[in-house]
């Protein structure tokens, strides 16, 4: 399995620290509002990578944090006249609903910054003791960037160039010794949440949070650290500086970053009016369609979101779901149970697509090619199945398709047992009405179902239904 490592800018063979186990940390959202579709991209792609590593037999410990103390959270709390924790808890709960809608599995652990303050104070103290940080008279603690010689190794920036870019920037009231130094701990302002510390009543800087939560739940050195490419600099660069200076060992062996998400070829922003929450998109399409759309591109490529592309994603996903539905129907209505010799050949022929899927995912989690392999499998299934096939072949092909879909976090059999039962009962009633020549009732049932997005189709094998 190969991973493109931002640190070396090369695809590298993945070698875990401990055979068979993966320790992975993914930077999570700051919770002050409903998450937007830009937040959804790392959630979906790294959840898919996690699922794939598990499919490959790895035991994955997946940690993803919620940043629950931040200027934006505090501002919103002040606007509403409530505690900052009320805002963050509310939007953590909402974020979890969106994750469920996109079938993003909960992390093994979802740490929250405000619950780990003790560890942060400890790490900041250690950095001061080792000469990598200093406090100033207002109680702010800064990281002494130039004391960490490898600074810039992840973003491939040269510290002297950075220095030049910062030379003229002097923020009034800041007491730091060098423009490159960044905040580890800052004093509270009026009305802000704060914690006691050796330096002042205050709160941690954003970067130290991830260094501490990663250390606490995964140890000093982890296998993979991931996030959006906008986090490479300064967030991840600073995490490396903090963790490696404090712990004295390499922080993460592999760094993975997903590309930007644009809307209609423009950067997503509230001022441009092209800002979408996951909630809005899931209501208009579904979390599954959004997930399929996100996986249709390579995670490192920029991805353009548009209504046309979402419609196309919906149609593509529907083709796969229809193939699954057909197999279920064929299984239920099969006249023979066991596979014939010829059918065994057909099943063996489907192995090729699972191999292609695996090769694509092994190549730096190429979900675009992996989905293409699923499509080839669908085509193979459609051209090799008739209403004469055995139940065993229908079931086996279904299972193969379902396994690959599941690695992508895409649900082949919609969780709709109750709905299925209700639809079946209505179809039964409609058949009875037609037998009784009550065509008005039969048509009414058909129209009612259509209004709910269920299209009935009278075929030679009986009545089938699918979503429209
Ligand atoms: Zn982070």
């Amino acid at each position: 399995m190969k991973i493109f490592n931002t640190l070396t800018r090369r695809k590298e063979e993945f070698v875990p620290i401990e055979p068979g186990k993966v320790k992975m940390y993914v930077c999570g959202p700051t919770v002050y509002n409903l998450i937007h579709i830009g937040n959804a991209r790392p959630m979906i792609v790294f959840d898919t990578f996690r699922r794939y590593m598990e499919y490959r037999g790895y035991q994955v410990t997946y940690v993803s944090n919620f940043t629950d103390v931040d200027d934006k959270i505090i501002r919103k709390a002040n606007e509403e006249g409530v505690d900052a924790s009320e805002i963050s808890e509310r939007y953590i709960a909402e974020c979890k609903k969106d994750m469920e809608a996109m079938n993003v599995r909960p992390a093994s652990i979802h740490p929250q910054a405000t619950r780990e303050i003790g560890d942060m104070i400890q790490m900041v103290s250690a950095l001061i003791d080792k000469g990598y940080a200093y406090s100033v008279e207002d109680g702010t603690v800064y990281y002494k960037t130039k004391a960490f010689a490898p600074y810039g190794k992840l973003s491939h920036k040269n510290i002297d160039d950075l220095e030049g870019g910062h030379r003229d920037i002097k923020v009034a009231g800041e007491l730091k010794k060098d423009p490159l130094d960044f905040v580890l701990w800052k004093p509270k302002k009026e009305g802000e949440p704060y914690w006691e510390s050796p330096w002042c009543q205050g709160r941690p800087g954003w970067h130290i949070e991830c260094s501490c939560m990663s250390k606490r739940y995964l140890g000093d050195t982890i296998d993979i650290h991931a996030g959006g490419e906008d986090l490479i600099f300064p967030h991840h660069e600073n995490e490396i500086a903090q963790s490696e200076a404090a712990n004295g060992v390499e922080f993460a062996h592999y760094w993975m970053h997903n590309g930007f998400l644009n809307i209609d070829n423009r950067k997503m922003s509230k001022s441009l009016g092209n800002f979408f929450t996951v909630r809005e998109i899931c209501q208009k399409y579904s979390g599954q369609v959004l997930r399929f759309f996100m996986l249709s591109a390579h995670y490192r490529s920029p991805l353009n979101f548009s209504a046309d592309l979402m419609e196309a994603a919906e149609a593509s996903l529907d083709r796969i779901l229809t193939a699954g539905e057909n197999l279920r129907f064929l299984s239920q209505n099969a006249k023979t149970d066991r596979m014939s010799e010829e059918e065994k050949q057909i099943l063996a022929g489907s192995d090729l697509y699972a191999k292609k899927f695996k090769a694509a995912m092994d190549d730096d989690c190429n979900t675009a090619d992996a989905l293409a392999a699923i499509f080839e499998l669908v085509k193979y299934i459609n051209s090799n199945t008739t209403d004469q096939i055995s139940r065993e072949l229908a079931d086996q092909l279904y299972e193969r398709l379902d396994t690959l879909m599941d690695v992508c976090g895409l649900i082949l059999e919609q969780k709709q047992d109750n709905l299925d039962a209700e639809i079946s009962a209505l179809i039964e009633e409609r058949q009875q009405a037609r037998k009784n020549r009550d065509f008005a009732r039969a048509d009414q049932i058909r129209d009612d179902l259509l209004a709910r997005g269920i299209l009935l189709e009278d075929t030679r094998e009986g009545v089938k239904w699918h979503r429209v």
Side-chain angles (χ1 to χ4, degrees), residues 160-224:
D160 296 325
D161 295 346
L162 286 169
E163 188 90 85
H166 278 75
R167 197 161 292 151
D168 303 327
I169 307 169
K170 179 81 185 145
V171 180
E174 273 195 354
L175 301 163
K176 59 184 172 183
K177 294 175 183 164
D178 187 285
L180 290 181
D181 295 348
F182 59 89
V183 171
L184 296 173
W185 185 268
K186 58 182 160 192
K188 66 167 182 182
K189 290 192 203 115
E190 195 51 40
E192 287 187 354
Y194 65 89
W195 290 264
E196 298 291 340
S197 82
W199 316 289
C200 63
Q201 292 179 333
R203 61 186 162 104
W206 171 38
H207 314 301
I208 196 77
E209 298 174 6
C210 287
S211 280
C212 288
M213 293 185 275
S214 181
K215 179 184 169 81
R216 170 155 187 144
Y217 296 103
L218 297 169
D220 288 353
T221 302
I222 68 171
D223 293 297
I224 304 168

Side-chain angles (χ1 to χ4, degrees), residues 233-247:
F233 186 85
H235 184 53
H236 288 165
E237 197 71 71
N238 292 353
E239 281 188 41
I240 290 175
Q242 296 162 158
S243 294
E244 297 193 355
N247 303 329

Side-chain angles (χ1 to χ4, degrees), residues 336-368:
T336 50
D337 278 336
R338 312 292 297 178
M339 278 193 283
S340 65
E341 285 310 309
E342 194 195 340
E343 286 184 338
K344 282 180 187 162
Q345 295 298 315
I346 291 175
L347 183 65
S350 73
D351 287 346
L352 173 66
Y353 309 103
K355 280 199 191 100
K356 282 189 175 183
F357 178 91
K358 209 166 151 229
M361 291 298 285
D362 269 347
D363 183 14
D364 188 28
C365 192
N366 189 335
T367 56

